[in-house]
Amino acid sequence: MEAIIKHEGLVYPLNRANVDTDQIIPKQFLKRIERQGFGQFLFYNWRFYEDGTPRDDFSLNNPKYEGASILVGGENFGCGSSREHAPWAIQDYGFKVVIAPSFADIFYNNCVKNGILPIQLTSEETQAMIKKAEETNYTLSVDLPEQTVKDENGWHATFDIPSYQKEMLLNGWDEIAVTLTFEEKINAFENSKA
Amino acid sequence: MAQPKTIIDKIWEQHVVHQEENKPDLLYIDLHLIHEVTSPQAFEGLRMSNRNVRRPENTYATMDHNVPTRERHIIKDAVSKKQMETLKDNCTEFNIPLADIHHPDQGIVHVIGPELGLTQPGKTIVCGDSHTSTHGAFGALAFGIGTSEVEHVLATQSLWQETPKTLQVHVNGELGTGVTSKDLILAIIAKYGVRFGSGYVMEYTGDAIHSLSMEERMTICNMSIEAGARAGLISPDNITVDYLKGKRHVPGGAAFDEAAAEWLNLATDEGAQYDAVVEIDANEVEPQVTWGTNPSQCVPVNGSVPNPADYDNPNDKDEVERALIYMDLEPEQAIQSIPIEHVFIGSCTNSRLSDLRKAADIVKGKQVSGDIQALVVPGSQSVKDAAEKEGLDVIFKTAGFEWRDAGCSMCLAMNDDIVPPGERCASTSNRNFEGRQGNGARTHLVSPEMAAAAAIEGYFVDVRKFTAAVGG
Ligand code: SF4
């Protein structure tokens, strides 16, 4: 997994609550057995008409947001299905940071395991960011060690992140390798139950 | 006396492998269930790092999401076929037991776990699927995980997990005639919203819960994730023990009595504290129908669709408006004026034998209205066999339903069972998200009884009046 320490990028605002993983990556794309290549299907049913032409009523298709790498969403972002294809699609499309007032648990975990930084801010803060990103070209810089988000006008916010998740992201750990250093304890646990 | 504990605390303590400050606990996993959609990349990861499956005997695989529900010997969709073959190859390579598409035990992963007795009280159970919460009905700690975690469990039989906060969902009273556990869980989500369980493991308590059958309890725990909770469970009682007796993977004889005593001991102690509590009165619950695009957008069948104008918060107003546009409904439209084109009786929420029996009772001797497409998809091949032994298949087919093989089917429409764009479905599944049952499809979540009655009438009806009117 790639580490993430600091990131600066253009914001894409998605002002909807309860964006579920069925919307992030619809089921017709879950049949692939690879991890890569899901970006083209991100928000597919919102982005495209039945015949595959892009819809101009969905903001991600607005050229203004081309190259965006920070997604700011609404409450309960990533709810529903546990499909890790959702963060795979978000990442493959080019997003490195997702900011929302609240996240669904499994989605939050899945982000961290893939090196996407999920940031929880208050809904006032996210609403303000969404507004600015809708009106202008809005960029943010995110600093994980400091746990801050800043914009160019001097606005800034701090965020919480569990220390284990923070370390995982900062180091780009292979979590399985970490766990395997506890193999003796797992053996002992199994023996005690046998 | 020792501090009273919840079942959640007890199961947790029994499974901690390693604990240190400022870190999640390393939790041992007793049972890992696998299906074809969320596992291929995990096995690929193992191969790439030259790792093995630590406990294949604690792992069990089946095929459910993709499988055709008729003519299963020919899988037309090449990509689905590849995904199923990949699962088969992975299970062979890593020695994992598999109920594949031709196996008599095949079925939806959350239906077959309990059926085979793999699901037991006190176990930690995971699966790359959010409805793993279903298994909590047995007093197991069961939750959905992502594919990276699937790989992690395959390699280490454990997971790093933060100690969960506990939430008591207390249900007083009792459900009225014609009101089901599906209506109860929908009413709970309608009352408290789609994220009140976020960050918690919920325990459902109260007489209304403990008087339910195991299958009814599974329906409730299944939808815990729809309230934002990764896991929801119910303390084991005698109903739990009776259900498990004689199941294939459950010990027999004296070992069973010993196990049963341990299970009953797991139940939450009198006076144990939860981090939060919510309550609902079962007597007030009526048959429910969702009108929107998330499960909390739900009203009693005698109610009507809300009016966006009644919402003060602009984001809420916007959400309701968007849902009404997607669902093609008018503000304040009566639920019983909504005509339907499809009926789906199935999914890990409501596809067990008792669900099919209750639906069959409603349709017996009647005909599906007009040209409604009505589908019954049993949760497992053994549910299907048992139903056929009782003649339920004949009742459904005579009434004009299609009788299919087991799988997820129209719950998420990954196979050929799809609701066409713009068409409307009364569904016994758990998610009414946009496009869930097919791009542009409009889903209304209901109980099996309500779905069956809607199939006969062609629009939503109060199943209580329906049975009274026809003397059922
Ligand atoms: S029946 Fe539906 S909700 Fe249940 S496991 Fe299958 S797809 Fe998921």
Side-chain angles (χ1 to χ4, degrees):
Chain A
M1 176 182 112
E2 222 175 286
I4 177 162
I5 299 166
K6 287 185 188 192
H7 177 74
E8 190 178 327
L10 181 68
V11 173
Y12 166 62
L14 183 60
N15 194 14
R16 293 182 188 187
N18 306 317
V19 170
D20 59 74
T21 53
D22 275 73
Q23 309 317 319
I24 299 175
I25 179 96
K27 74 292 196 109
Q28 61 267 37
F29 308 113
L30 306 185
K31 294 181 184 177
R32 301 159 57 100
I33 57 171
E34 301 83 19
R35 242 177 216 261
Q36 287 80 29
F38 287 97
Q40 52 188 312
F41 311 125
L42 178 70
F43 296 122
Y44 192 87
N45 295 343
W46 286 347
R47 258 167 80 202
F48 300 103
Y49 288 108
E50 199 87 331
D51 65 0
T53 51
R55 306 177 62 112
D56 29 341
D57 60 351
F58 186 58
S59 54
L60 192 58
N61 290 333
N62 187 335
K64 163 178 173 191
Y65 299 120
E66 219 177 277
S69 60
I70 299 177
L71 193 161
V72 181
E75 294 276 5
N76 203 24
F77 195 87
C79 60
S81 156
S82 62
R83 57 186 71 163
E84 200 162 312
H85 311 70
W88 294 339
I90 286 174
Q91 186 167 51
D92 191 56
Y93 188 87
F95 291 107
K96 302 220 166 347
V97 175
V98 183
I99 304 178
S102 59
F103 290 94
D105 296 345
I106 305 179
F107 178 82
Y108 185 94
N109 267 329
N110 283 342
C111 282
V112 172
K113 313 264 174 202
N114 287 283
I116 301 170
L117 172 58
I119 296 180
Q120 195 176 355
L121 293 176
T122 66
S123 55
E124 290 75 44
E125 287 165 336
T126 52
Q127 281 302 319
M129 288 154 88
I130 284 172
K131 199 155 176 280
K132 282 181 209 150
E134 282 172 351
E135 286 163 1
T136 59
N137 254 355
Y138 190 56
T139 57
L140 286 171
S141 53
V142 173
D143 185 315
L144 178 55
E146 273 187 13
Q147 299 180 206
T148 56
V149 180
K150 292 182 187 144
D151 75 6
E152 291 160 329
N153 314 319
W155 174 88
H156 84 282
T158 55
F159 61 91
D160 283 336
I161 179 166
S163 53
Y164 178 74
Q165 266 85 354
K166 182 174 176 179
E167 263 187 89
M168 280 256 298
L169 286 162
L170 285 175
N171 296 300
W173 276 340
D174 168 2
E175 196 185 29
I176 297 178
V178 175
T179 309
L180 288 173
T181 64
F182 293 90
E183 206 169 3
E184 282 308 308
K185 289 202 92 168
I186 302 174
N187 293 338
F189 181 90
E190 284 178 338
N191 292 334
S192 76
K193 300 276 161 172
Chain B
M1 211 193 109
Q3 172 99 0
K5 288 178 184 159
T6 69
I7 178 173
I8 302 159
D9 305 325
K10 294 185 200 181
I11 299 177
W12 196 270
E13 285 167 15
Q14 289 176 6
H15 289 84
V16 173
V17 173
H18 175 81
Q19 203 161 34
E20 65 188 91
E21 241 182 288
N22 291 326
K23 234 180 142 176
D25 294 347
L26 187 62
L27 200 70
Y28 194 78
I29 302 302
D30 295 318
L31 174 64
H32 186 190
L33 300 167
I34 291 200
H35 65 73
E36 76 278 18
V37 177
T38 53
S39 66
Q41 295 87 351
F43 284 110
E44 190 54 31
L46 285 186
R47 266 189 296 271
M48 271 160 40
S49 342
N50 225 339
R51 288 174 177 139
N52 213 336
V53 174
R54 182 179 174 92
R55 289 270 161 213
E57 70 278 19
N58 294 0
T59 314
Y60 192 93
T62 191
M63 299 172 175
D64 52 7
H65 282 65
N66 256 326
V67 302
T69 54
R70 57 181 162 193
E71 295 170 355
R72 24 187 28 173
H73 48 285
I74 22 169
I75 303 165
K76 288 185 220 114
D77 182 335
V79 199
S80 291
K81 191 165 177 220
K82 175 95 187 287
Q83 202 170 51
M84 286 185 248
E85 279 166 0
T86 305
L87 179 63
K88 192 163 187 177
D89 294 345
N90 285 330
C91 288
T92 310
E93 181 180 343
F94 293 99
N95 231 340
I96 294 169
L98 164 72
D100 75 5
I101 192 164
H102 305 298
H103 196 284
D105 293 336
Q106 181 267 341
I108 304 173
V109 66
H110 311 308
V111 174
I112 66 171
E115 209 166 67
L116 295 169
L118 290 164
T119 303
Q120 291 172 18
K123 278 193 180 184
T124 46
I125 303 175
V126 296
C127 174
D129 192 282
S130 59
H131 291 100
T132 309
S133 59
T134 314
H135 307 260
F138 289 80
L141 183 66
F143 51 90
I145 55 178
T147 297
S148 296
E149 290 174 311
V150 169
E151 185 181 338
H152 191 278
V153 176
L154 288 172
T156 69
Q157 203 59 35
S158 62
L159 273 179
W160 295 99
Q161 291 288 306
E162 299 287 350
T163 337
K165 290 184 289 173
T166 57
L167 170 66
Q168 180 182 25
V169 180
H170 191 69
V171 190
N172 294 308
E174 72 182 300
L175 293 172
T177 318
V179 184
T180 68
S181 65
K182 176 66 161 288
D183 301 307
L184 173 59
I185 187 65
L186 283 172
I188 292 172
I189 297 169
K191 181 169 178 186
Y192 292 104
V194 287
R195 46 184 183 265
F196 79 94
S198 195
Y200 291 100
V201 171
M202 331 208 260
E203 179 178 0
Y204 301 92
T205 62
D207 292 344
I209 296 292
H210 284 277
S211 61
L212 298 173
S213 72
M214 287 315 295
E215 300 197 347
E216 292 169 317
R217 294 180 193 187
M218 285 187 247
T219 301
I220 295 198
C221 290
N222 175 270
M223 291 191 71
S224 307
I225 182 75
E226 263 46 77
R230 280 177 89 179
L233 49 66
I234 295 172
S235 283
D237 57 20
N238 288 326
I239 294 176
T240 321
V241 171
D242 288 346
Y243 177 99
L244 287 166
K245 197 165 197 166
K247 291 277 183 286
R248 199 184 311 162
H249 290 269
V250 171
F256 180 79
D257 297 336
E258 239 175 78
E262 274 180 39
W263 295 338
L264 294 173
N265 251 328
L266 284 169
T268 292
D269 300 329
E270 185 88 39
Q273 295 294 312
Y274 299 84
D275 295 308
V277 182
V278 299
E279 272 186 272
I280 191 163
D281 185 351
N283 297 303
E284 286 172 8
V285 176
E286 294 183 75
Q288 304 283 312
V289 181
T290 65
W291 52 265
T293 53
N294 78 50
S296 72
Q297 294 179 322
C298 180
V299 288
V301 60
N302 296 305
S304 51
V305 172
N307 191 337
D310 296 339
Y311 292 78
D312 297 335
N313 179 317
N315 282 341
D316 292 348
K317 181 183 286 215
D318 193 52
E319 208 182 336
V320 173
E321 252 163 21
R322 275 176 44 82
L324 292 191
I325 292 169
Y326 182 85
M327 294 297 289
D328 190 28
L329 295 171
E330 296 300 322
E332 298 179 26
Q333 184 172 347
I335 291 291
Q336 297 189 40
S337 72
I338 303 173
I340 51 163
E341 286 130 333
H342 300 262
V343 172
F344 171 60
I345 298 179
S347 91
C348 57
T349 319
N350 281 124
S351 64
R352 299 179 179 83
L353 188 58
S354 58
D355 297 314
L356 305 191
R357 280 182 185 147
K358 288 176 198 158
D361 268 354
I362 305 277
V363 306
K364 194 171 189 172
K366 304 188 190 72
Q367 280 300 312
V368 167
S369 166
D371 43 16
I372 286 179
Q373 184 203 24
L375 228 60
V376 185
V377 184
S380 70
Q381 288 301 87
S382 32
V383 168
K384 183 176 188 231
D385 289 346
E388 287 176 358
K389 284 210 180 82
E390 296 180 10
L392 302 186
D393 58 326
V394 178
I395 296 177
F396 282 118
K397 286 191 276 194
T398 312
F401 279 82
E402 296 176 41
W403 179 252
R404 298 291 188 84
D405 283 312
C408 295
S409 176
M410 207 178 258
C411 171
L412 94 164
M414 260 185 97
N415 67 354
D416 296 334
D417 308 333
I418 296 172
V419 177
E423 295 192 11
R424 203 178 284 287
C425 181
S427 177
T428 67
S429 55
N430 45 43
R431 284 187 177 140
N432 50 349
F433 296 159
E434 286 183 26
R436 175 77 179 181
Q437 298 195 285
N439 198 5
R442 299 177 175 130
T443 302
H444 298 269
L445 303 176
V446 285
S447 72
E449 289 90 323
M450 285 283 290
I456 303 303
E457 291 295 324
Y459 47 87
F460 291 109
V461 283
D462 187 337
V463 68
R464 296 168 300 184
K465 288 184 204 146
F466 182 82
T467 38
V470 296

